Amino acid sequence: MRAANRKQALIPEGAYVIDPVGTAPGVVVPGKPAVVVLPGPPRELQPMWRTAVASEPVREAIAGHTEYRQEMVRMFGLPESGLADTLRDAEEGIEGYGELEITTCLRRGEIEMVTRFEPRAAPVYAELLELLRDRHARDIFSEDGSSIDDQVVQLLASRRIATAESCTAGLLAARLTDRPGSSAYVAGGVVAYANEAKVELLGVDPVLIERHGAVSEPVADAMAEGALRRFEADTAVAITGIAGPDGGSEEKPVGTVCWSVQLADGRGLTRTVRLPGDRADIRDRSTTVAMHLLRRVLSEPAALTPVAAASGDRATADPASARSHPR
């Protein structure tokens, strides 16, 4: 055994050993204070930390200390400045606001707001949550910390989805299949980067591409229709856009992306948005927007209208309901 690996196996006498997630174990050394030693990589640290906190030495060390509640609200479509304005008003108008510890983070085009507080401050948090609902109801998609991916997986139960991707080149399919058991609802996907692939693999009419361009709502609709047919699915998502850094024009600048979400019964949603950021940002955010459009289509079917055959004349739901997430 190499000396470096042998060293990892050494532990202080009397220490509580935490099984490693990677190669390095963790230890909790009892005493005052108790000492917790864990590896640094987050992938290893996070699950091992939960085990450490549950160990007897750590429980004894924190006995009698205040336990805090933590709640998370996730929002999409709201700029950070908009949430900041609301929190400033809350600070001025909600009594006891100072008892809440609030952190916000912009991640993949979504805002995560984490609030920590002592149990006695629960009514203060409830008042804050009511203010958020009042001002940002259309932007809040999770009050229990569940991610958009969690919600879409639940909505896809007993369904069969297919993807047709151009600028994202399979990133949406990868996101949908990231969880174990995804074969129960993902039928397959097509990466149709070239126009010829859109025509041959998805059955897009070349006249549509010539008339509207590959990055257009009619072509996105036709791609989604092709995915429905090819995989005999009941749900399809198509993405076509200009991720850059080249390829943009005055009419369609870099960041222009079109989405189409369609159901086999003819209902669907088609959107065009200009996303900010570099190539990696645009591609990643495109998958996030697709997930949110998919969530809306599957959770609010009554709000949708039938999508006509891809010809440029489509019936869609309220265009204000899908927006980019400016920073």
Side-chain angles (χ1 to χ4, degrees), residues 143-192:
E143 295 182 3
D144 60 3
S146 60
S147 68
I148 185 64
D149 301 68
D150 295 329
Q151 296 179 14
V152 166
V153 166
Q154 292 179 357
L155 291 167
L156 285 173
S158 75
R159 302 194 72 91
R160 184 174 170 86
I161 187 171
T163 61
E165 301 179 66
S166 183
C167 65
T168 48
L171 293 177
L172 178 61
R175 188 164 175 174
L176 287 168
T177 56
D178 192 48
R179 296 162 186 262
S182 56
S183 59
Y185 51 85
V186 176
V190 170
V191 175

Side-chain angles (χ1 to χ4, degrees), residues 225-246:
E225 292 168 8
L228 284 173
R229 291 192 303 270
R230 187 174 188 88
F231 293 98
E232 297 182 348
D234 55 35
T235 308
V237 184
I239 307 175
T240 178
I242 306 169
D246 303 316

Side-chain angles (χ1 to χ4, degrees), residues 49 83 145 227 283 289:
W49 170 251
L83 177 58
R283 282 155 54 94
V289 174

Side-chain angles (χ1 to χ4, degrees), residues 28 31-35 55-65:
V28 179
K32 294 188 177 181
V35 177
S55 69
E56 185 176 344
V58 174
R59 299 303 299 174
E60 290 179 357
I62 63 176
H65 289 246

Side-chain angles (χ1 to χ4, degrees), residues 258-274:
C258 302
W259 297 264
S260 179
V261 180
Q262 293 193 30
L263 304 182
D265 64 10
R267 291 173 298 166
L269 200 59
T270 308
R271 290 291 180 269
T272 300
V273 172
R274 184 182 178 189

Side-chain angles (χ1 to χ4, degrees), residues 4-67:
N5 295 117
R6 184 183 298 275
K7 183 178 179 180
Q8 285 184 314
L10 298 175
I11 61 170
E13 185 175 348
Y16 175 90
V17 180
I18 301 173
D19 291 336
V21 173
T23 59
V27 295
V28 179
V29 183
K32 294 188 177 181
V35 177
V36 180
V37 182
L38 298 173
R43 185 184 67 82
E44 301 176 34
L45 169 65
Q46 292 170 2
M48 293 173 70
W49 170 251
R50 290 190 287 271
T51 303
V53 170
S55 69
E56 185 176 344
V58 174
R59 299 303 299 174
E60 290 179 357
I62 63 176
H65 289 246
T66 302
E67 292 194 13

Side-chain angles (χ1 to χ4, degrees), residues 26-256:
V27 295
V28 179
V29 183
K32 294 188 177 181
V35 177
V36 180
V37 182
L38 298 173
R43 185 184 67 82
E44 301 176 34
L45 169 65
Q46 292 170 2
M48 293 173 70
W49 170 251
R50 290 190 287 271
T51 303
V53 170
S55 69
E56 185 176 344
V58 174
R59 299 303 299 174
E60 290 179 357
I62 63 176
H65 289 246
T66 302
E67 292 194 13
Y68 286 82
R69 280 183 55 186
Q70 177 172 301
E71 302 288 348
M72 178 185 288
V73 175
R74 296 179 187 264
M75 290 161 272
F76 178 73
L78 176 69
E80 290 176 288
S81 58
L83 177 58
D85 289 341
T86 298
L87 294 179
R88 276 192 293 269
D89 292 343
E91 185 176 13
E92 296 176 0
I94 296 179
E95 185 176 353
Y97 179 84
E99 298 183 64
L100 306 178
E101 178 187 322
I102 300 173
T103 58
T104 63
C105 177
L106 181 66
R107 196 188 311 274
R108 302 190 86 170
E110 301 170 348
I111 294 179
E112 298 176 356
M113 189 188 87
V114 176
T115 307
R116 299 176 183 86
F117 53 92
E118 295 182 27
R120 60 186 174 83
V124 182
Y125 177 73
E127 190 172 350
L128 173 62
L129 188 57
E130 195 58 39
L131 177 63
L132 291 171
R133 290 169 179 160
D134 182 57
R135 294 195 179 181
H136 308 299
R138 66 187 297 175
D139 304 308
I140 296 172
F141 68 90
S142 172
E143 295 182 3
D144 60 3
S146 60
S147 68
I148 185 64
D149 301 68
D150 295 329
Q151 296 179 14
V152 166
V153 166
Q154 292 179 357
L155 291 167
L156 285 173
S158 75
R159 302 194 72 91
R160 184 174 170 86
I161 187 171
T163 61
E165 301 179 66
S166 183
C167 65
T168 48
L171 293 177
L172 178 61
R175 188 164 175 174
L176 287 168
T177 56
D178 192 48
R179 296 162 186 262
S182 56
S183 59
Y185 51 85
V186 176
V190 170
V191 175
Y193 220 69
N195 289 342
E196 293 80 4
K198 294 179 177 65
V199 173
E200 294 174 11
L201 300 178
L202 294 170
V204 177
D205 187 341
V207 175
L208 283 178
I209 298 175
E210 182 179 352
R211 181 181 302 163
H212 301 283
V215 180
S216 62
E217 293 188 2
V219 169
D221 282 340
M223 290 171 63
E225 292 168 8
L228 284 173
R229 291 192 303 270
R230 187 174 188 88
F231 293 98
E232 297 182 348
D234 55 35
T235 308
V237 184
I239 307 175
T240 178
I242 306 169
D246 303 316
S249 65
E250 185 174 346
E251 181 184 359
K252 297 178 182 178
V254 169
T256 302

